[in-house]
Amino acid sequence: MMGDHMLFEDRLERAARLVEGELEAVFSEMVAGTPERLLAAMRHGVLGGGKRLRPFLLMASAELFGIVPARSVRAAAALECVHCYSLVHDDLPAMDDDDLRRGKPTVHVAFDEATAILAGDGLLTLAFEIAADARTHSDAGVRTALIHNLAHAAGARGMAGGQMLDLQAETQMPDEAGIKRLQAMKTGALLRFAVEAGALLGAAPAKDRACLTAYGMAIGAAFQVADDILDVEGSSVEIGKATAKDADAGKATLVGLLGVDPARQRLAQLVDEAIGQLSQFDHRADPLREAAQFVMTRRK
């Protein structure tokens, strides 16, 4: 099992390097015409850290249908820009007020609050610029679908809406169903988009797309439960950000509602559910199966 875990870590690291290289190339194209301080803040917010799990899921899903990572990496980079924009904005004093992200100062600490807001805006809009580029996919219809689905996952009915529910939950604690809805929007939407986008790039049949969507929903829910457990049990050195902040802020989590042990059982059930959705796929889906296990066992 340890060997399998190390193999997955290697796969994840290779995918991260590929995405990092693509993002570096994108930023190199932006040097002319972009204010230097803004570009530096955007680079600080997205480069040099993070597991790149969402891009990995996108590229691994695309590979199921014959799309090699070199052909899916731009879509993966667009997704990572959206994810990192959300982190930059979530860390702001008006939101979660965090000073540390991925083991380094958050953007508003390294620069200033106004620059961090603009850096987040820049990353979000850059994502759609990348997705709309013909280099991302030769079919304009596929690019349009990517843009539409990414906007839906990131917007008021997805991640942004989930963040709003999270803020409201600090004063109006939701029940279990409300917490699941919040987490499905705030965290699950982008993870679900990752596997759906891979299927879209590969022109997957409807049945396969449905299985991957269900996998994405389960792994998204599992990721958030695991994150909540880490917030309680992990250290800031391991995780690269402050811990125990959710409980201190009265955040709505399944760990807070159910307790750590029941939440850990729920996590295992969600991982089993995610893996079960891949039963119709052969060994080519092993990276996705390993990703589900990784979500359960990760320490950062």
Side-chain angles (χ1 to χ4, degrees), residues 222-258:
F223 185 94
Q224 186 59 61
V225 175
D227 208 50
D228 295 340
I229 293 172
L230 278 175
D231 186 68
V232 173
E233 296 186 338
S235 72
S236 60
V237 174
E238 284 183 308
I239 300 171
K241 62 180 181 179
T243 58
K245 289 198 69 175
D246 288 349
D248 293 344
K251 293 272 187 178
T253 69
L254 288 177
V255 173
L257 183 68
L258 303 176

Side-chain angles (χ1 to χ4, degrees), residues 118-132:
L118 292 174
D121 293 345
L123 289 172
L124 175 61
T125 48
L126 176 61
F128 295 105
E129 183 178 342
I130 295 170

Side-chain angles (χ1 to χ4, degrees), residues 4-294:
D4 290 343
H5 183 76
M6 292 304 295
L7 177 61
F8 176 76
E9 290 274 10
D10 289 342
R11 286 175 170 169
L12 195 61
E13 184 177 341
R14 287 197 301 271
R17 288 199 301 267
L18 186 62
V19 172
E20 187 94 356
E22 188 64 34
L23 289 166
E24 285 278 15
V26 169
F27 286 127
S28 294
E29 294 175 358
M30 294 175 61
V31 170
T34 305
E36 183 177 343
R37 183 173 176 81
L38 176 58
L39 186 58
M42 291 170 66
R43 290 174 58 87
H44 184 91
V46 76
L47 295 177
K51 289 291 188 181
R52 312 294 189 196
L53 179 62
R54 291 156 188 81
F56 174 87
L57 291 173
L58 189 154
M59 291 187 287
S61 299
E63 277 198 279
L64 280 176
F65 309 103
I67 305 299
V68 297
R71 292 179 56 201
S72 60
V73 67
R74 283 184 61 85
L79 170 57
E80 189 67 359
C81 283
V82 172
H83 172 56
C84 291
Y85 123 77
S86 76
L87 301 182
V88 172
H89 279 190
D90 284 356
D91 289 338
L92 288 168
M95 295 282 201
D96 293 343
D97 195 14
D98 276 312
D99 295 335
L100 195 66
R101 169 71 66 179
R102 294 172 170 172
K104 61 184 183 181
T106 51
V107 177
H108 72 271
V109 171
F111 293 84
D112 56 72
E113 191 171 345
T115 302
I117 292 170
L118 292 174
D121 293 345
L123 289 172
L124 175 61
T125 48
L126 176 61
F128 295 105
E129 183 178 342
I130 295 170
D133 194 304
R135 290 173 292 177
T136 300
H137 199 282
S138 59
D139 187 331
V142 171
R143 299 198 304 273
T144 300
L146 280 174
I147 292 167
H148 175 272
N149 292 358
L150 182 56
H152 188 279
R157 290 172 290 177
M159 183 175 61
Q163 179 69 4
M164 184 73 254
L165 293 177
D166 195 32
L167 292 172
Q168 291 177 335
E170 293 180 15
T171 56
Q172 298 175 327
M173 182 62 67
D175 58 13
E176 184 173 349
I179 293 174
K180 288 179 179 178
R181 179 190 175 215
L182 181 165
Q183 294 181 342
M185 294 170 68
K186 181 181 179 182
T187 302
L190 280 191
L191 287 161
R192 186 176 70 247
F193 168 82
V195 293
E196 290 175 342
L200 179 62
L201 291 171
K207 180 182 178 183
D208 291 346
R209 290 201 307 270
C211 290
L212 285 173
T213 295
Y215 167 89
M217 292 173 66
I219 200 173
F223 185 94
Q224 186 59 61
V225 175
D227 208 50
D228 295 340
I229 293 172
L230 278 175
D231 186 68
V232 173
E233 296 186 338
S235 72
S236 60
V237 174
E238 284 183 308
I239 300 171
K241 62 180 181 179
T243 58
K245 289 198 69 175
D246 288 349
D248 293 344
K251 293 272 187 178
T253 69
L254 288 177
V255 173
L257 183 68
L258 303 176
V260 172
D261 288 339
R264 189 173 282 111
Q265 293 172 7
R266 177 69 58 84
L267 172 59
Q269 292 169 355
L270 288 166
V271 168
D272 287 344
E273 180 183 333
I275 293 173
Q277 293 296 336
L278 302 174
S279 60
Q280 72 183 65
F281 299 108
D282 60 17
H283 66 278
R284 290 174 297 176
D286 284 350
L288 294 177
R289 296 183 179 100
E290 293 164 3
Q293 291 289 349
F294 169 77

